[in-house]
Amino acid sequence: MTNPKDWQAGVTGRVAEAVRRFREERGMSAQDVAAACAKLGYPIARNVIANLENGRRSSVDVAEVLVLAKVLDVPPVVFLVPLGEVGEVELLPGLMYSTGEALQWVCGEQPFDHEPTNDLELRFSAIRNYSETLRGLQKTISSSEESRRKVATARDPQTREANVKLVNQFDEIIGDYSQDVQDQRSTMRRKGITPPALPSELAYLDLSHHDDWGHVSEETPDASGSQPAADGEI
């Protein structure tokens, strides 16, 4: 059974990572965020934000989530469900759900463990969840390709090394998403559902087996396309 404190730490960690990522994307410092929170009417001190991002806080309250979401101009749900970052999430203690299922529950679209009551609902549910997984895969591939381009054009070793690490992280996620897409397509076929056509660049996922995405080597800085890398390639 999942330790409640471990689960709570995981939830807080997801919020912290989202706050850090969106803050940096918007070019805001922790002080900028703190000032915007105060202006909104709910002060959150700079050191509180820093402690959250650095993992020194074990919890975050609902009021903070709402205010930070407004300040960072994102829907609050992205703090709870890391869309496009992972394929599944432990949204409740010991209970793993796909990001599609988690999003539907948090947004009130569908309760957890809902069993379709007829064939049409089954088809809607299967294809909706599949589409969410496919979008996550495509978004992660796009992020990986952008990092690969930065690897190829980096002028200093530090920038190159940082982007090599990002590519390797993205590729692990891509491998998980790719397997999930294949599994869902196989499950749909077993249930008599024809899966949606794959984009041409992802047609390889309909093969019986696909190679793992390769990691970027220090000797191969060239950017690659969206297909899995062959041995020795990016």
Side-chain angles (χ1 to χ4, degrees), residues 1-4 6-7 89-97:
M1 184 175 181
T2 299
N3 184 308
D6 290 341
W7 171 75
V89 61
E90 187 183 10
L91 198 58
L92 295 170
L95 298 177
M96 301 297 296
Y97 293 93

Side-chain angles (χ1 to χ4, degrees), residues 51-222:
N51 287 339
L52 174 64
E53 292 186 12
N54 293 331
R56 291 192 290 267
R57 290 190 69 195
S58 61
S59 64
V60 58
D61 63 41
V62 175
E64 290 172 332
V65 167
L66 294 174
V67 171
L68 288 169
K70 175 63 176 176
V71 166
L72 296 172
D73 193 27
V74 295
V77 67
V78 302
F79 288 160
L80 302 176
V81 183
L83 300 175
E85 304 299 324
V86 297
E88 60 180 8
V89 61
E90 187 183 10
L91 198 58
L92 295 170
L95 298 177
M96 301 297 296
Y97 293 93
S98 73
T99 50
E101 292 173 317
L103 179 64
Q104 289 176 329
W105 182 64
V106 172
C107 293
E109 295 177 5
Q110 183 169 288
F112 276 152
D113 305 319
H114 172 71
E115 292 295 333
T117 57
N118 56 59
D119 181 67
L120 184 59
E121 188 178 357
L122 173 65
R123 290 169 182 267
F124 269 112
S125 178
I127 292 176
R128 183 168 52 239
N129 291 337
Y130 165 81
S131 297
E132 179 67 31
T133 303
L134 187 64
R135 282 194 295 271
L137 171 59
Q138 291 172 311
K139 180 178 179 180
T140 308
I141 288 175
S142 178
S143 298
S144 178
E145 290 177 340
E146 177 61 26
S147 292
R148 287 173 190 274
R149 285 190 286 271
K150 291 179 180 178
V151 169
T153 59
R155 296 185 177 182
D156 62 275
Q158 293 80 9
T159 299
R160 186 180 189 280
E161 182 180 0
N163 281 284
V164 166
K165 290 181 179 179
L166 282 175
V167 170
N168 290 336
Q169 292 171 0
F170 283 134
D171 285 352
E172 289 182 3
I173 297 172
I174 288 169
D176 291 340
Y177 267 130
S178 297
Q179 186 62 60
D180 200 6
V181 166
Q182 286 188 310
D183 290 345
Q184 289 187 41
R185 293 179 70 83
S186 178
T187 297
M188 280 191 274
R189 289 190 174 103
R190 286 199 303 271
K191 294 180 177 180
I193 302 171
T194 300
L198 281 163
S200 59
E201 69 273 14
L202 297 177
Y204 65 89
L205 290 177
D206 246 348
L207 300 177
S208 59
H209 174 74
H210 70 88
D211 295 331
D212 291 335
W213 277 65
H215 288 262
V216 178
S217 73
E218 288 299 321
E219 291 75 29
T220 54
D222 296 333

Side-chain angles (χ1 to χ4, degrees), residues 23-42:
R23 176 181 61 75
E24 292 180 350
E25 285 182 3
R26 284 147 181 72
M28 299 176 71
S29 67
Q31 183 57 51
D32 292 335
V33 174
C37 290
K39 186 176 180 180
L40 194 61
Y42 191 85

